[in-house]
Structures are given as C-alpha cells and as structure tokens.
Amino acid sequence: MKRILVTGANGQLGSELNLLSKKHSEYEWIFADRTKITLDDLDLLETQLKEIQPNIIFNCGAYTAVDKAESEKELAFRINCLAVKIIARYAVNNNINLIHISTDYVFDGNTSIALSEDAETNPINVYGASKRAGEIACLEENPNSIIIRTSWVYSKFGNNFVKTMQKLMQEKEEISVVNDQIGSPTYAVDLANVLIDILESKKWIPGIFNYSNEGEISWYEFALLIKELGMYKCNVKPIPTSAYQTQAKRPKFSLLSKERIKAIYNINIPDYKESLKKCLNS
C-alpha cells in the first residue's frame, strides 16, 4: 500500500484532503502538522521524512501570511524555499512522486490575459518571492516534481476570504471590497480532488500546472456573490486597491490559464459559482 504524506495538514487544502482520504483507503495517509513535519526546522526535516518513509508527498504546507511576510522574510524563505529544497531532494533520492503547491502571487499582475505556466514571473511581495524561489528550488533539485499554482483558495476550514465576508456581512451594515484585483477563486475541495485525479491517472507529467475554478472576477464581484447566496443584507461597496492599504502589494491581475492541466490530465474544472454554492451548503 502506497503511503501519502500530506504536509500542512491543518491548512485548508490539507484539511480537505483529510476528509477526502476517507474515500481513498487504497492509500495509507499520513497527515503531518507542524509537530510531525517542521518546515521551519531544516535540520530536523530530513530526519522526519526518513521516519515517515512516504511513497508520495503532497507538499501543502507553506508560510502564507502575506502581509506578515514583509517583516518575516527569513522565515518565509526558510519554509517556502529551503524546506521545499530539502523535500524535493529527498523525493528524488528516494524515487518519490512529489506534488508541490504554489501560488498566483509569483506574478506581478501587469497583464490582462490569462497567465500560462510559461508566463514571466515577477513577484511584487516577499511571500510571492519566497514561493517563486521554492518553485525554482523544487524543479532544480527534482525535475520530476509536479508544481500546481493556484489562487484565492477558500474552504470551510482555516482563514479565507469567504469566511471573512460571511462574518463581516453578519456583523456590519456596510463593507468595502477592492474591485480592481482580478483573478479566480479556488475551492480547496476541487483542488484536493485534482491531486487525487493526477495520482489515479497513472500518468506522471512533471512541471508546472495552473489550477483554479473557471471564471474571471474581482474580489468585489466575489463578495457580491457571497452576499447573494448567503442572503445577507449588508451593503457591499467597491473601492480601488489604493484605498485599501496593506503591507504587501497584491498583483492586480492573476487569472490563471488552465488549458495545460485540462489537456494533459483531462480535468473538468467547475465554475466558481457552482463551487461557492457547494462550499456554502457544506
């Protein structure tokens, strides 16, 4: 029986994989939180991997505090790049299939067409730079890796835009949401299913793939849909990014092209509206 190690077990994707694993008992699943796999303790990391002895690794663990990363650059790079390097090296040396999760924040957002996997990267914040460095380290150490870039991830677990909006819309009469950052949300359940689909396809094509739900929207439009489906009374007001200052800059446009993953793995990608409905119903 193949043993799958999932890092970042308590994150959104890790939590959804944990639920999904109940339907896939043909694998032995190891869900590793920060105590089992310490991505910030590089000396310990390889020892922990040797103890677990996985056949497959889903590296879902990451430093994801985008604004905080601006003042914690060393920690962000240690987790998002140096730890990835160790995992990738361990995977190649032990003939292990590795799927590593990355982000749309590797782009600067200065475009208006859907970004392919070959589009030029140019991160505009520390988090994005650390994730891009992780991608490079991953493929340099282990060219047989699969990297999946995703965007705007949400689920019923963890902290995310959908849960924040639900909370604010219940508490406040009016909220403001930026209307000039464009992309597409990703329901973590859909992404979890894609990881399983790749595994079960028995077809291992290394390299970078994009995945998010179908659709092109702004955060403001996403908030309006949450309001509509949740039947909230709160007034949602559009504002430009310039009116909502954050420590880290965000890419203005990070819509991902999913043509490659659809063509190679024959993946059917749900529309963001359908996925949001499923999430809210769960």
Side-chain angles (χ1 to χ4, degrees):
M1 183 183 284
K2 289 197 168 175
R3 180 178 294 168
I4 301 177
L5 166 63
V6 179
T7 68
N10 294 335
Q12 296 186 76
L13 183 54
S15 299
E16 294 294 2
L17 279 165
N18 203 337
L19 284 184
L20 195 59
S21 70
K22 313 291 184 278
K23 296 178 187 169
H24 290 277
S25 54
E26 68 271 26
Y27 301 106
E28 181 187 350
W29 295 83
I30 308 284
F31 288 92
D33 61 8
R34 288 172 187 169
T35 59
K36 266 192 191 159
I37 288 287
T38 51
L39 296 173
D40 59 344
D41 188 336
L42 305 178
D43 295 331
L44 192 55
L45 181 54
E46 194 158 357
T47 307
Q48 292 170 326
L49 291 167
K50 282 175 184 168
E51 282 170 1
I52 294 169
Q53 293 191 323
N55 307 102
I56 297 148
I57 301 173
F58 292 161
N59 187 34
C60 309
Y63 180 107
T64 56
V66 178
D67 288 315
K68 215 172 164 189
E70 295 298 307
S71 57
E72 291 187 346
K73 184 176 179 180
E74 190 202 346
L75 181 60
F77 270 82
R78 193 185 318 150
I79 293 171
N80 291 345
C81 174
L82 300 180
V84 175
K85 189 173 187 171
I86 290 169
I87 291 169
R89 189 186 303 151
Y90 180 83
V92 78
N93 289 342
N94 293 278
N95 201 23
I96 291 164
N97 284 344
L98 167 64
I99 299 183
H100 171 64
I101 304 299
S102 193
T103 174
D104 60 321
Y105 277 35
V106 299
F107 298 111
D108 59 17
N110 296 333
T111 182
S112 57
I113 54 166
L115 292 146
S116 74
E117 290 81 357
D118 304 323
E120 194 177 336
T121 57
N122 183 30
I124 55 173
N125 57 43
V126 169
Y127 166 69
S130 70
K131 290 295 285 182
R132 178 57 186 147
E135 291 182 351
I136 294 167
C138 184
L139 291 173
E140 277 181 354
E141 291 291 330
N142 183 357
N144 197 44
S145 307
I146 288 176
I147 294 173
I148 299 182
R149 286 181 184 147
T150 190
S151 61
W152 301 17
V153 178
Y154 69 93
S155 83
K156 63 184 175 191
F157 298 105
N159 298 316
N160 57 67
F161 183 80
V162 173
K163 286 172 74 175
T164 300
M165 287 298 111
Q166 287 181 299
K167 185 172 182 287
L168 290 175
M169 286 175 189
Q170 286 171 54
E171 293 172 353
K172 296 181 180 287
E173 287 182 11
E174 183 174 278
I175 58 170
S176 300
V177 183
V178 294
N179 68 344
D180 56 357
Q181 289 175 26
I182 307 297
S184 187
T186 305
Y187 184 25
V189 173
D190 296 335
L191 181 53
N193 276 304
V194 166
L195 300 193
I196 304 287
D197 287 346
I198 289 173
L199 219 52
E200 309 226 300
S201 72
K202 307 283 188 257
K203 184 163 64 172
W204 190 266
I205 310 291
I208 298 175
F209 292 87
N210 292 335
Y211 183 85
S212 70
N213 285 119
E214 294 286 22
E216 177 180 338
I217 54 164
S218 67
W219 286 114
Y220 168 68
E221 288 166 316
F222 196 31
L224 287 181
L225 186 63
I226 294 165
K227 175 187 169 177
E228 180 193 323
L229 295 175
M231 294 190 286
Y232 299 113
K233 299 284 185 275
C234 175
N235 183 34
V236 183
K237 202 173 82 176
I239 55 164
T241 299
S242 55
Y244 184 70
Q245 293 300 318
T246 54
Q247 284 169 287
K249 286 170 77 178
R250 266 65 170 176
K252 283 280 189 83
F253 187 95
S254 61
L255 182 69
L256 301 171
S257 164
K258 278 81 69 173
E259 296 313 308
R260 183 165 190 240
I261 202 165
K262 286 194 280 195
I264 291 177
Y265 285 107
N266 196 27
I267 284 173
N268 182 29
I269 303 180
D271 182 80
Y272 78 93
K273 291 178 188 172
E274 297 311 309
S275 290
L276 180 60
K277 280 178 197 167
K278 278 182 193 163
C279 181
L280 297 182
N281 288 337
S282 72

